[in-house]
């Protein structure tokens, strides 16, 4: 048995006598060969219109259209002109007939009575040729696809190289801006320290402390924005949404931005309805959005400007408009203001400038609340209007965010153990706790902390994470193992504020996770909640708000 062909080989046989068709098929049958039979030239042409064939076996003597005429018709059409033909002739005389399509494709003659072996071997040769031709066509197609794919990859890699180059330039520019922006607040803080050292009392010292506090707040905001934008771009920011009054976010934002507005002697007016505007939102993040817009209005308006905020509910949504009469935005900059690192060049040297990430954060956070952000300006010197629209929801009795409690002396003093290898950090935390009426003790390393905890049985243990020797996680796990401390409140206090860091802290056994630098207001609130656990949930205006695990 001959080996089968690797692909089906269709063979057309044409004869006016049905018994000849049957006999031919019987002689030639072999795996892989498919026979298409026609009993006239016309029928054969119809088949050839629709079907591709590897070879045509044509009986020469047929009524109406004979084999030669059929062959000539085949040679006349582009679709069929290269099909090899074997004429089955009745005698030598037939061969003398001129066949004009000879040159177009392979032609052979077999005389009747046919010899089965010769017929089979000729059909096998043509079939083999057909298979090879098809394989070459497939390879050619593959090669073409391969070449196209290579071209595409080459173009992609060129595009990527170009994008990388541009990103590299942008990164260098960004690092330069970052260094500049971080150094800006550090200089007055250092000056302030020196002034305080030389003259620690009096009204000037008070003013210096106020200035240092403002600069530090600015520094913390820059770093929080940086961390936030990296979380947002990796889709790793989690909103803690609840049904809340938009007014609470607006008030928190105004509280945050008012010092900057006042420092630039701007006037500020607010037009907001008293009736509750309910939104499904994250209070901290919405306050951050609004305060970003207010800060920009304050920054990009010359001293003594007017800043207005309108809160307008309509058609199931609420528009929060922040309008200033400041520097305005050029038409070419306007479409890009919400892009990451977008900054109008002229602002680069402003001492209050940022990193060009504030508005990118605004638009992302608003988007995550199902809202939209828009910027409008008639151009340079004409002021700007920023509008954030958020969907309103029905009123419901859900929990309403309570604004951050101000630092004040507590009625419920707690015993707190502070564990931090940074002596300054530990000492200032101790002073802060002392100021708000709690009793604090300090330990600078893990083993010592365990010892003190066992002796003093503090209510709360504030643990730094990154410490040499036993780190905060290890100390936490050890405290949870000791019967004396296993039910105490453990707070992780770290410079790492990613969601994964929080999760890691909770997995180690912490009750809360707060990011450094911790504000006094935040600490007051958290300790008050711990002292009176029935109080409603905490909301803070700081990015690294405490998480109740
Ligand atoms: P940053 O303020 O840190 O530069 P933002 O993303 O907050 O970054 O703003 C991007 C840019 O948009 C700013 O650098 C400034 O050029 C422009 N811009 C933002 N708000 C205003 C405004 N109220 N008036 C004029 N220009 C503005």
């Amino acid at each position: 048995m001959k080996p089968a062909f690797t692909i089906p080989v269709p063979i057309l046989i044409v004869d006016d006598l049905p018994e000849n068709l049957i006999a031919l098929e019987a002689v030639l049958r072999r795996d892989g060969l498919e026979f298409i039979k026609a009993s006239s030239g016309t029928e054969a042409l119809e088949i050839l219109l629709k079907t591709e064939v590897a070879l045509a076996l044509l009986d020469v003597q047929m009524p109406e259209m004979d084999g030669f005429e059929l062959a000539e018709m085949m040679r006349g059409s582009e679709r069929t002109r290269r099909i090899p033909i074997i004429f089955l002739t009745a005698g030598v005389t037939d061969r003398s007939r001129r066949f004009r399509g000879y040159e177009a494709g392979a032609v052979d003659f077999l005389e009747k009575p046919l010899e089965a072996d010769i017929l089979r071997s000729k059909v096998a040769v043509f079939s083999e040729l057909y298979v090879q031709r098809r394989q070459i066509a497939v390879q050619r197609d593959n090669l073409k696809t391969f070449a196209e794919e290579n071209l595409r990859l080459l173009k992609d890699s060129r595009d990527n190289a170009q994008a990388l180059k541009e990103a590299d330039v942008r990164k260098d520019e960004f690092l330069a801006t970052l260094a500049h922006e971080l150094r800006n607040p550090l200089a007055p803080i250092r000056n302030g320290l020196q002034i305080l050292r030389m003259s620690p009392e009096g009204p000037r010292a008070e003013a210096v402390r106020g200035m240092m506090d403002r600069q530090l707040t600015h520094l913390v905001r820059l770093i929080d924005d940086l961390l936030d934008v990296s979380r947002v771009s990796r889709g790793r920011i989690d909103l803690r949404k609840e049904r809340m009054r938009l007014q609470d976010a607006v008030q928190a934002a105004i509280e945050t931005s008012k010092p900057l507005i006042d420092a630039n002697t701007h006037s500020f007016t607010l037009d907001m309805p008293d009736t509750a505007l309910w939104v499904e939102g994250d209070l901290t993040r919405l306050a951050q959005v609004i305060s970003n817009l207010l800060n920009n209005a304050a920054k990009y308006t010359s001293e003594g400007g007017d800043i207005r905020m309108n809160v307008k509910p309509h058609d199931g949504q609420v528009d929060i408009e922040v309008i200033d009469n400041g520097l305005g935005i050029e038409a070419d900059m306007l479409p890009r203001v919400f892009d990451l690192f977008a900054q109008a060049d002229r602002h680069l040297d402003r001492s209050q400038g940022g990193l060009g990430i504030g508005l990118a954060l605004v638009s992302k956070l608003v988007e995550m609340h199902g809202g939209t952000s828009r910027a409008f300006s008639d151009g340079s010197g004409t002021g700007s209007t920023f509008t954030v629209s958020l969907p309103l929801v029905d009123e419901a009795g859900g929990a309403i965010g309570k604004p951050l409690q101000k630092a004040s002396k507590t009625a419920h003093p707690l015993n707190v153990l502070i564990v931090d290898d940074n002596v300054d950090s530990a000492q200032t935390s101790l002073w802060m706790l002392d100021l708000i009426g709690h009793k604090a003790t300090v330990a600078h390393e893990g083993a010592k902390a365990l010892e003190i905890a066992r002796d003093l049985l503090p209510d709360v243990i504030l643990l730094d994470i990154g410490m040499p020797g036993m780190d905060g996680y290890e100390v936490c796990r050890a405290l949870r193992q000791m019967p004396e401390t296993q039910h105490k409140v453990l707070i992780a206090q770290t410079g790492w504020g990613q969601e994964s860091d929080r999760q890691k802290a909770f997995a180690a056994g912490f009750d809360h996770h707060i990011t450094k630098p911790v504000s006094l207001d935040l600490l007051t609130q958290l300790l008050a909640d711990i002292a009176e656990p029935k109080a409603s949930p905490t909301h803070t205006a700081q990015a690294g708000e405490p998480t109740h695990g």
Side-chain angles (χ1 to χ4, degrees):
M1 186 78 184
K2 298 252 185 199
F5 291 103
T6 47
I7 54 170
V9 181
I11 292 177
L12 176 67
I13 45 185
V14 190
D15 200 310
D16 58 318
L17 300 176
E19 60 272 26
N20 283 356
L21 289 173
I22 292 167
L24 265 174
E25 185 175 0
V27 169
L28 292 171
R29 187 171 296 130
R30 176 176 165 188
D31 280 351
L33 294 187
E34 288 176 1
F35 296 96
I36 307 161
K37 289 170 268 187
S39 53
S40 71
T42 324
E43 193 186 342
L45 285 173
E46 263 167 33
I47 291 170
L48 287 169
L49 272 182
K50 290 180 263 166
T51 318
E52 188 201 33
V53 302
L55 169 69
L57 294 174
L58 309 185
D59 181 29
V60 170
Q61 284 174 332
M62 290 188 291
E64 294 163 29
M65 188 189 298
D66 71 15
F68 292 135
E69 284 164 325
L70 171 58
E72 266 161 31
M73 301 281 277
M74 285 169 64
R75 292 299 190 240
S77 150
E78 191 48 43
R79 210 185 126 74
T80 49
R81 67 196 306 247
R82 282 178 199 83
I83 298 173
I85 296 171
I86 299 179
F87 291 111
L88 308 177
T89 68
V92 254
T93 45
D94 281 337
R95 216 185 286 191
S96 60
R97 292 256 322 244
R98 250 174 70 81
F99 168 54
R100 289 196 294 275
Y102 223 100
E103 72 287 355
V107 166
D108 208 341
F109 292 87
L110 283 180
E111 279 170 29
K112 294 181 179 174
L114 300 168
E115 273 188 52
D117 282 348
I118 294 179
L119 180 62
R120 275 194 216 104
S121 73
K122 285 198 191 271
V123 167
V125 168
F126 285 115
S127 300
E128 200 53 58
L129 273 175
Y130 171 80
V131 171
Q132 283 172 9
R133 246 195 352 259
R134 289 299 300 265
Q135 281 168 346
I136 288 169
V138 169
Q139 283 165 359
R140 190 193 53 217
D141 287 351
N142 286 347
L143 268 178
K144 198 166 155 231
T145 316
F146 187 62
E148 282 166 2
E149 180 66 7
N150 270 346
L151 265 180
R152 200 182 56 73
L153 287 176
L154 191 68
K155 187 174 172 307
D156 280 0
S157 82
R158 278 202 191 121
D159 290 351
N160 286 342
Q162 183 60 24
L164 273 179
K165 222 164 148 188
E166 284 164 16
D168 196 42
V169 171
R170 275 207 306 278
K171 181 208 70 193
D172 285 346
E173 283 168 7
F174 173 71
L175 285 178
T177 316
L178 180 61
H180 177 257
E181 291 304 324
L182 293 180
R183 205 179 290 129
N184 265 339
L186 288 179
I189 291 175
R190 168 170 277 178
N191 291 345
L193 269 179
Q194 293 186 357
I195 297 167
L196 286 181
R197 201 170 289 140
M198 292 166 76
S199 107
E201 306 295 341
R204 186 169 55 197
E206 198 44 48
V208 166
R209 274 194 282 272
M211 173 279 290
M212 287 172 72
D213 195 29
R214 273 199 312 281
Q215 294 297 336
L216 200 69
T217 307
H218 179 59
L219 198 59
V220 171
R221 212 185 55 232
L222 280 179
I223 293 168
D224 282 345
D225 275 3
L226 259 182
L227 288 176
D228 279 352
V229 88
S230 104
R231 282 180 218 153
V232 163
S233 55
R234 285 176 299 145
R236 298 205 14 204
I237 224 164
D238 293 322
L239 293 186
R240 269 158 245 176
K241 282 195 196 163
E242 60 183 335
R243 194 141 302 186
M244 52 161 278
R245 277 163 35 105
L246 180 69
Q247 278 94 338
D248 291 336
V250 170
Q251 291 302 352
I254 293 173
E255 235 172 72
T256 310
S257 300
K258 203 66 185 14
L260 187 63
I261 295 174
D262 291 344
N264 287 303
T265 61
H266 300 311
S267 70
F268 176 71
T269 45
L270 170 67
D271 185 356
M272 177 165 71
D274 288 332
T275 42
L277 297 168
W278 297 99
V279 292
E280 192 72 27
D282 181 323
L283 177 72
T284 309
R285 296 305 184 180
L286 288 182
Q288 185 183 3
V289 162
I290 300 166
S291 142
N292 254 323
L293 297 182
L294 285 173
N295 286 348
N296 276 353
K299 275 168 16 180
Y300 300 116
T301 299
S302 309
E303 283 193 0
D306 295 323
I307 298 174
R308 283 182 292 137
M309 178 145 101
N310 299 327
V311 178
K312 298 191 290 197
H314 68 95
D315 307 323
Q317 66 172 48
V318 56
D319 290 348
I320 305 146
E321 271 176 2
V322 176
I323 306 165
D324 65 54
N325 64 344
L327 299 177
I329 303 167
E330 297 286 5
D332 62 337
M333 174 70 186
L334 209 47
R336 295 187 291 122
V337 281
F338 291 104
D339 291 354
L340 196 54
F341 308 137
Q343 289 185 312
D345 290 344
R346 65 169 187 271
H347 303 319
L348 272 180
D349 290 334
R350 285 181 61 94
S351 62
Q352 291 296 335
L355 297 169
I357 53 185
L359 288 180
L361 258 183
V362 164
S363 93
K364 282 283 177 227
L365 289 173
V366 168
E367 225 172 76
M368 288 171 76
H369 279 88
T372 54
S373 327
R374 298 183 297 281
F376 174 81
S377 173
D378 270 330
S380 201
T382 62
S384 313
T385 300
F386 283 81
T387 310
V388 161
S389 304
L390 293 171
L392 285 169
V393 292
D394 292 338
E395 178 177 349
I400 303 167
K402 137 170 101 85
L404 186 62
Q405 186 170 329
K406 275 278 161 217
S408 61
K409 203 106 179 158
T410 177
H412 306 277
L414 294 169
N415 272 323
V416 183
L417 171 60
I418 300 163
V419 189
D420 196 330
D421 61 315
N422 182 323
V423 177
D424 290 341
S425 180
Q427 186 60 51
T428 44
S429 299
L430 184 136
W431 285 333
M432 290 213 294
L433 290 175
D434 187 47
L435 278 172
I436 54 175
H438 298 290
K439 191 172 168 348
T441 314
V442 162
H444 295 306
E445 37 109 6
K448 189 77 190 159
L450 295 178
E451 224 173 86
I452 298 178
R454 197 179 289 127
D455 290 348
L456 286 187
L457 304 178
D459 305 302
V460 175
I461 301 169
L462 200 57
L463 263 174
D464 181 36
I465 293 290
M467 293 189 291
M470 265 181 120
D471 70 11
Y473 299 123
E474 281 174 80
V475 178
C476 173
R477 281 189 285 267
L479 286 167
R480 289 287 182 230
Q481 295 292 319
M482 301 193 323
E484 301 91 336
T485 52
Q486 64 183 353
H487 299 301
K488 300 295 178 193
V489 177
L490 304 185
I491 306 175
Q493 188 190 0
T494 96
W496 305 106
Q498 309 277 7
E499 187 51 36
S500 56
D501 301 314
R502 289 178 202 283
Q503 294 311 332
K504 212 165 152 193
F506 297 138
F510 281 104
D511 299 298
H512 303 275
H513 176 280
I514 52 181
T515 35
K516 291 180 180 176
V518 181
S519 79
L520 193 54
D521 292 346
L522 179 70
L523 210 54
T524 307
Q525 177 77 69
L526 182 55
L527 293 178
D529 283 352
I530 291 167
E532 297 173 279
K534 279 182 198 63
S536 45
T538 306
H539 294 287
T540 78
Q542 183 182 334
E545 72 271 38
T547 311
H548 296 252

